[in-house]
Amino acid sequence: MPHPNFVLIMTDTQATNVIGAYGRPELRTPNIDRLAETGIKFQRAYTTCPLCTPARGGLFTGIYPHTSGSWTNNLPLGSNIRTMGQRFRDAGYATAYVGKWHLDGHDYFGTGLCPDGWDPAYWYDGANYLAELTEEDITLWRRGLNSLDDLRAHDIRTEFTWAHRTSDRAIDFLKKWDARIKNQESRIEDEAERLSQELRITNHESHTTNYALRTAQPFVLVVSYDEPHHPFTCPPEYVEPFVDYDYAIGPGAFDTLENKPAHQREWAASARMGQRVRESGTIRAPMYLGCNSFVDAEIGRVIDAVHAYAPENTYLLFTSDHGDMLGAHQLGGKGPAMYEEIAHVPLILELPGGGDGRVVETLVSHIDVLPTLLELAGLDAPPILEGTSLVPQLQGVEVPDKPVFIEFNRYEIEHDSWGGFQPVRCIVSGPYKMVLNLHYTDELYDLAADPAEVNNLIDDTAHVATRDALHDQLLDWMYTRRDPFRGPVWERRPWRDSRRFQWRGEFRPRPA
């Protein structure tokens, strides 16, 4: 069998709460929705960190951010950490990455330089996009497009956007791959015909295409959109349907944040949306939601190109790095919290040739993506990878649920934003989510009974056994995974003192 191809499409700041296939059909994401109709939709997928760089580190290395080095924005991966591109390139794959990277430790835009493991011919991070713009356009893109009126006044068209140019390069890659295949098929047909005439061999036609596929170089193509992240650049027609649209937040809109961590109340005070959100239960975000719909249209272009140019042997995966709070719990943006609005991400995988669509309820994480792709490619996953392959779930095998783990350390090195150093560790297991906020009150939620995460059960006597069991699992994970921030302070909580940490404790070397 030929080695499969992989196309990984990802967005920035697009959690399940703004996608039709995950319960918000009014938000106009038809292309992601149709992918869910033909693919396998993971209903309970989580990021490794609700923040850009760490989330991407977990996804593209298969190693948690606290180990990979990229544990906050603007910290690069460690020099001894290998990426998806390097692993597949070394296995003989063509590897192309188009769009936002945000893993080089530079600023938001990147350096413009292609890191090892990816094809420089297709590298197109933010610095490359800015290099194509005039100084006026750069200023306009970053600071001048804050409303529908701005988009109209400056006649913003699809061709201006980073998203559209990212799609163009991805489609170009797929077209050229298809052309090479067809050229190879043609040469094989000619050679087969020559041999047929010379040796009187017949019925060669049925073998030539398969032979061409077997000898073609497989590829990994990553298409990484900045959208719907700010600055919300898109043509005005995508924003217009949402100008008067009231986005229903749900019960989380009415969370008073009592019995919640102090830093969340500080964050809510800075967001200044508490009273109006609590009064209406809704928020208006036409620019964000318009850009959310726009990036779906660009994703549709790439999906169509995959189906047109590489349909036979290509796995197509869609996800996003994290979400936006959108007013839930009086909060906006992303930061040191583990609420579903920013931690619960879409994950959809379409098998070659598509299918009838299927939903998997198993808890999964971005940390599982790289081991999955390696197994699908017939490649070994090295022991340093920290996730578990999802191939059994893809094959319809019932797999026992396993917990997923999420972390947060600080928002960014350059900015004193979202409270600075805010270490958080989280475990999601079955219906429960436990959040350890190192400096503040901890959290425990029953997602089945309280999906909006309003009722903090950390001190509820009826949940002591569940709470302590999750605490033990989370501590075990921190110690066995060599979390550099581990220590007895995570054990000394107001509600429990487990005291397992030893001052002269175990030596924990890095795996091979």
Side-chain angles (χ1 to χ4, degrees), residues 63 80 82 87 381-385 482 509-512:
I63 299 170
N80 59 346
R82 297 177 63 75
R87 295 194 185 280
I384 190 67
L385 300 190
R482 304 171 66 254
R510 183 178 185 269

Side-chain angles (χ1 to χ4, degrees), residues 40-347:
I40 297 170
K41 182 180 71 168
F42 290 88
Q43 193 68 25
R44 300 191 70 193
Y46 287 88
T47 183
T48 56
C49 176
L51 186 64
C52 298
T53 293
R56 292 160 185 271
L59 181 63
F60 290 114
T61 70
I63 299 170
Y64 282 100
H66 64 248
T67 298
S68 71
S70 58
W71 53 266
T72 186
N73 279 352
N74 304 116
L75 278 186
L77 294 170
S79 60
N80 59 346
I81 300 298
R82 297 177 63 75
T83 68
M84 178 188 295
Q86 291 168 313
R87 295 194 185 280
F88 276 95
R89 186 271 317 273
D90 293 348
Y93 271 69
T95 54
Y97 193 107
V98 188
K100 183 176 180 179
W101 177 240
H102 209 188
L103 266 174
D104 52 22
H106 203 258
D107 62 18
Y108 177 86
F109 310 103
T111 63
L113 303 176
C114 180
D116 182 59
W118 305 104
D119 185 348
Y122 288 93
W123 186 255
Y124 190 64
D125 66 2
N128 297 132
Y129 171 62
L130 294 179
E132 297 177 345
L133 304 181
T134 66
E135 287 299 320
E136 288 182 352
D137 283 344
I138 291 173
T139 301
L140 178 66
W141 179 61
R142 290 303 299 159
R143 294 189 294 274
L145 301 172
N146 300 306
S147 68
L148 176 59
D149 289 342
D150 291 335
L151 295 174
R152 288 170 172 165
H154 294 282
D155 192 24
I156 297 301
R157 302 187 183 188
T158 300
E159 293 75 15
F160 175 77
T161 65
W162 189 4
H164 190 77
R165 300 185 192 195
T166 294
S167 299
D168 282 348
R169 283 159 177 78
I171 294 168
D172 179 66
F173 175 92
L174 293 165
K175 285 181 177 178
K176 288 179 178 176
W177 184 86
D178 181 56
R180 286 194 298 270
I181 293 294
K182 289 178 177 176
N183 181 58
Q184 188 176 38
E185 289 176 354
S186 178
R187 287 188 286 106
I188 291 172
E189 284 280 359
D190 291 345
E191 180 64 12
E193 182 64 32
R194 184 186 67 79
L195 289 172
S196 176
Q197 293 177 0
E198 288 183 4
L199 304 176
R200 295 180 182 177
I201 298 173
T202 59
N203 296 325
H204 65 275
E205 291 87 350
S206 62
H207 304 290
T208 55
T209 299
N210 287 336
Y211 179 73
L213 284 172
R214 283 199 299 273
T215 57
Q217 184 184 24
F219 67 81
V220 172
L221 170 64
V222 177
V223 190
S224 177
Y225 296 101
D226 182 47
E227 294 77 9
H229 190 289
H230 183 270
F232 312 134
T233 307
C234 64
E237 58 265 28
Y238 289 93
V239 176
E240 288 163 354
F242 298 102
V243 171
D244 297 319
Y245 171 73
D246 293 314
Y247 175 90
I249 298 168
F254 309 103
D255 188 355
T256 64
L257 296 180
E258 294 179 13
N259 195 30
K260 296 292 183 78
H263 75 280
Q264 291 185 17
R265 292 191 291 275
E266 295 166 356
W267 179 1
S270 73
R272 296 189 297 275
M273 60 176 63
Q275 182 175 351
R276 59 184 175 85
V277 164
R278 288 198 304 272
E279 288 176 352
S280 67
T282 65
I283 190 172
R284 287 193 177 181
M287 294 291 283
Y288 170 77
L289 294 176
C291 203
N292 182 68
S293 182
F294 167 63
V295 74
D296 176 83
E298 290 300 321
I299 289 169
R301 295 179 63 213
V302 175
I303 292 173
D304 289 342
V306 171
H307 292 165
Y309 301 117
E312 299 92 353
N313 198 31
T314 301
Y315 290 89
L316 205 168
L317 186 148
F318 166 75
T319 192
S320 189
D321 55 359
H322 56 75
D324 189 295
M325 290 302 302
L326 281 176
H329 311 280
Q330 306 179 45
L331 307 176
K334 72 276 188 180
M338 296 294 162
Y339 290 119
E340 294 288 286
E341 285 80 6
I342 54 176
H344 183 193
V345 293
L347 183 64

